[in-house]
Amino acid sequence: KKYQFNKHDPEGTHAFELTNLCDRAILGLLLGMEADNPGSMLDVKQSGKKLTVDEIRAAGWFEELPLDGEVVLKFQTKLRSTSAAPQPIDDNDLNNFLNQLKITKMSDRDRLNLTKMFCASYFFMSEQARMIIEAYDGSAEKMEAAVMLFFCVIDGHCAKTTMFKSTVEQDRFQHMLGAHAHYRSQNPTGRYELNLALIPDQMMAKNLVEAGIHEGGSRTWRN
């Protein structure tokens, strides 16, 4: 369930194991949101010990998290959601993501889980997606990651040729997308029948929800 964390709806009580890379990534996102919107992070406990935000700031958590221990906190943002058009991940968050993907002891399956988590919270440009999939060692997980990222790419019209230089990989990518290859996040008009048990359909549904929020669900969703 942690891989379903949504940066745009982070409220709730969260528990993190600091030896888990995905947990660390989510906690890092919440710390960044606390820095932008002070007072959102409440009731912080590390291994049962209560901590204030000032104490974790003094301990350097905003720069580098502790290596182990369990952290439990409540997050309650004061920011109201806006209807801004989807924007690609910013450079700081992208670099943070890439640095985590490049940890040598991380398996490609772990990288895929981390990519899924970031896809739930961010949009990307095709060039950013290319940088992400290049962090993968094996071709199978790399291609799975590319399919997930495709539905979060803003410039989908050039995704295939930007993400893959090899025509063999481009053809394989096209085959894995199937009919979904025609989807464009910036112009998603059409009728959809989605199977939410499938990752590509999950990513597409997430994109359609974002579009509905931006344009107004009453004007964009029918039947």
Side-chain angles (χ1 to χ4, degrees):
K1 290 186 177 179
K2 289 179 181 176
Y3 301 137
Q4 299 173 8
F5 173 79
N6 188 342
K7 181 183 178 182
H8 304 297
D9 184 19
E11 296 197 357
T13 299
H14 304 276
F16 305 103
E17 177 53 60
L18 294 182
T19 57
N20 182 285
L21 293 170
C22 289
D23 282 18
R24 293 176 67 85
I26 298 173
L27 181 53
L29 289 174
L30 292 178
L31 286 167
M33 296 170 72
E34 165 65 26
D36 293 337
N37 185 31
S40 299
M41 192 172 283
L42 308 169
D43 302 331
V44 182
K45 295 180 182 179
Q46 182 185 19
S47 300
K49 179 183 177 181
K50 290 185 177 181
L51 298 171
T52 66
V53 173
D54 286 341
E55 287 174 328
I56 65 175
R57 181 177 286 106
W61 285 28
F62 285 83
E63 291 74 37
E64 185 173 356
L65 287 169
L67 296 177
D68 54 29
E70 183 183 57
V71 173
V72 179
L73 60 86
K74 181 179 179 181
F75 200 86
Q76 184 174 323
T77 181
K78 298 176 182 177
L79 292 178
R80 298 178 65 86
S81 60
T82 66
S83 59
Q87 297 295 318
I89 187 171
D90 64 39
D91 289 341
N92 287 336
D93 286 348
L94 177 63
N95 289 333
N96 176 47
F97 182 21
L98 291 173
N99 287 337
Q100 293 178 65
L101 288 176
K102 292 175 182 177
I103 295 174
T104 54
K105 66 179 180 180
M106 180 179 279
S107 69
D108 273 349
R109 184 52 53 179
D110 287 335
R111 291 187 177 99
L112 196 61
N113 286 330
L114 190 59
T115 300
K116 183 178 180 181
M117 186 198 79
F118 270 77
C119 283
S121 300
Y122 292 98
F123 287 89
F124 306 88
M125 300 302 291
S126 293
E127 178 61 22
Q128 294 175 324
R130 181 193 63 77
M131 295 166 66
I132 292 166
I133 62 176
E134 284 187 350
Y136 283 73
D137 297 322
S139 60
E141 287 83 1
K142 175 181 178 180
M143 199 61 64
E144 285 186 62
V147 170
M148 282 196 294
L149 287 161
F150 173 77
F151 297 101
C152 305
V153 164
I154 293 173
D155 54 342
H157 63 282
C158 63
K160 182 175 72 172
T161 54
T162 301
M163 292 166 68
F164 297 102
K165 300 305 180 186
S166 161
T167 56
V168 173
E169 287 186 314
Q170 289 176 9
D171 290 345
R172 185 181 174 197
F173 180 56
Q174 180 87 17
H175 176 74
M176 289 187 68
L177 286 173
H180 295 334
H182 301 289
Y183 178 77
R184 297 291 179 266
S185 64
Q186 295 302 289
N187 184 21
T189 301
R191 180 175 178 81
Y192 297 89
E193 294 184 13
L194 303 177
N195 179 356
L196 296 182
L198 303 176
I199 288 179
D201 288 31
Q202 292 175 20
M203 296 297 106
M204 189 181 294
K206 170 250 183 184
N207 219 313
L208 292 171
V209 169
E210 292 281 352
I213 292 172
H214 170 53
E215 298 184 25
S218 62
R219 298 194 301 271
T220 57
W221 289 39
R222 298 286 188 275
N223 301 323

